[in-house]
Amino acid sequence: MKKALSILLDQALLSVAGDHSDSLRQAGLEQAREARNGHYATSAAMQLAGKLKRKPAEIAADIVARLPPNALIGRIEVAGPGFVNIWLNPGALQAELGRIVADGQSYGSTNLGGGRRVLVEFVSANPTGPLHVGHGRLAATGDCLARLLEATGHEVWREYYVNDAGRQLAVLGLSVWLRMAQRENASAEFPEGAYRGEYILDLARRMCDELPEAAEAARKGMAWPEADQANGQGADRYVDALIDTARKTLGDGLFAHIGRVAGEWVLDDIRDDLEQFGVRFDHWQSERALVEGGEIEACLGRLTDVTYRRDGALWFPAEKYGDEKDRVVVRADGRSTYFASDIAYHYGKRKRGADVLLDVLGADHHGYVDRVRAGLEALGEPPSSLEVRLVQFVVLYRGGERVAMSTRGGEFETLRNLRDEVGVDAARFFYVSRAGEQHLDFDLDLAKKQSSDNPVYYVQYAHARVVSLFEKMRARNIGFSPDEGQEHAGLLKHPREIDLMLALARLPETVEQSALQRAPQVMAHYLIGLAQAFHGWYNHCKVLDVESDLRCARLLLAQASGQVLRNGLGLLGVTAPRSM
């Protein structure tokens, strides 16, 4: 409805603005904040006043006069210094109910994207430990964005990038091996630079059971350095020394195998965790596969004309392409950098046919955007094809107290624990209820609360009420059909009914806004407002105990409400329960 109304308004604005139509690029139709100011409003007249050298109120009146008659518009007026306020025709809202019911699951979907191909990469946590609550926010945000893009006519590909070729996997293999070797030297202090946590002990026990040669080597133990060397600022250097010692003890092949196997087990756990969270990927891209397949080397070969040597390393002139400084792509020892992998990976995405590369990353990747765009530009790809959405950290609160977390110390809240405590629906809804660029304070007690204070419960309860209403209807042998409801929809004139119909009709524009702005929180807030409109109507307007014509009309309104609630919740990956 908003789109159709915007087209009408644009025609009138262009007629009024004449040669100054360029100044209207930011003018548009906005939802009015209060019903007394209309359903929609525009401030275009005030934006044109300076250019046209006329009073805003006169321009607003001119806009109103040039608006062509249309069944969508119920009332229109000029208000204040020059606002144009528009009320929708109740008949148009009543007719929309039939469309909602007829379209069913597809209501709210549009063809805004026109089949444009978007590759959404998200989560991409290193396979070195279980997903924590911060990864959960990335998962919920990325998956919701993918759903919204699909609903707006984009061709979407979900991808997880597996960092299985860097130092982290060697540290994981070392951590597991040290826990295995500690059985022979229990007094040896575990280094602070290694991965900790109960999961490392579990991996070590499993490795002993399933990798006999590693278990045999563990029984022989290894020469540990003095324990005090593991502490202080040299922790990472000490771990690197331990990696060298473990390689000599086990042999390069067995040590690498322990790391790879442990990483595969962790990745299996991540896959299962995400599956249980309602997140499924089309592809899991291995960094090791990029290295072994020669894609990184080939990509660097295409950059030969721009890269240069300095201090034995190969450098990419990123500053020339808008980054803050040049970047190393191959170290002096011949090993490629993470940046080289990133360039090759994103170049490969483009070669696979993606029009838009949408990366959903943690806030600590803020310096990532310019350098990868620089690499794409140097490879002849449009830098604007890369779009990065940064997601801030999550802080858990229980009983009003902040939950202490330390991933380095192995003490952190896992996504699996969060799912077990509050449920998938609450976790997903809470994760996307706030803009990704804002920090999220996650109230565990509120997420478990079964009352209207809990936003996800409040929205889901609205849907359960719709189901209960139709169950009562059937129990009382009351007949109903959508056609009957539409026939009598003109009876829906109560202010609460107008508010609810207006809220329902706004789903398509909300889906588009959420997708365009990459803002799933817009959909979450919309659903809360819709639930508020539904509960207000349900509490003030009887449905079953009224005369038959009005009952049919109100049952149609209830049916449409249930459909929109299901569709909206589905876009967030949240279920629409039949009972609460």
Side-chain angles (χ1 to χ4, degrees), residues 185-200:
N185 183 5
S187 63
E189 184 175 342
F190 197 76
E192 69 175 61
Y195 295 118
R196 298 166 177 262
E198 185 66 29
Y199 77 97
I200 294 293

Side-chain angles (χ1 to χ4, degrees), residues 68 105 156 197 263 274 347 387 413 495 575:
Q105 291 183 352
V156 178
L274 291 170
Y347 181 68
E387 183 181 337
E413 286 291 338
T575 64

Side-chain angles (χ1 to χ4, degrees), residues 319-394:
E319 187 175 1
K320 172 184 174 183
Y321 295 95
D323 193 13
E324 61 183 5
K325 61 181 181 180
D326 290 357
R327 308 284 177 178
V328 175
V329 286
V330 180
R331 301 179 182 91
D333 61 8
R335 292 179 298 127
S336 60
T337 63
Y338 288 127
F339 175 52
S341 299
D342 289 336
I343 298 174
Y345 174 45
H346 286 80
Y347 181 68
K349 291 181 185 181
R350 287 285 295 172
K351 295 298 105 179
R352 282 186 272 152
D355 298 309
V356 179
L357 315 179
L358 176 56
D359 291 0
V360 181
L361 305 172
D364 53 342
H365 288 75
H366 60 87
Y368 177 93
V369 185
D370 289 341
R371 69 187 70 169
V372 177
R373 280 182 176 159
L376 286 170
E377 184 176 358
L379 288 163
E381 299 293 336
S384 59
S385 64
L386 173 63
E387 183 181 337
V388 176
R389 294 290 159 168
L390 298 178
V391 177
Q392 285 287 351
F393 305 107
V394 179

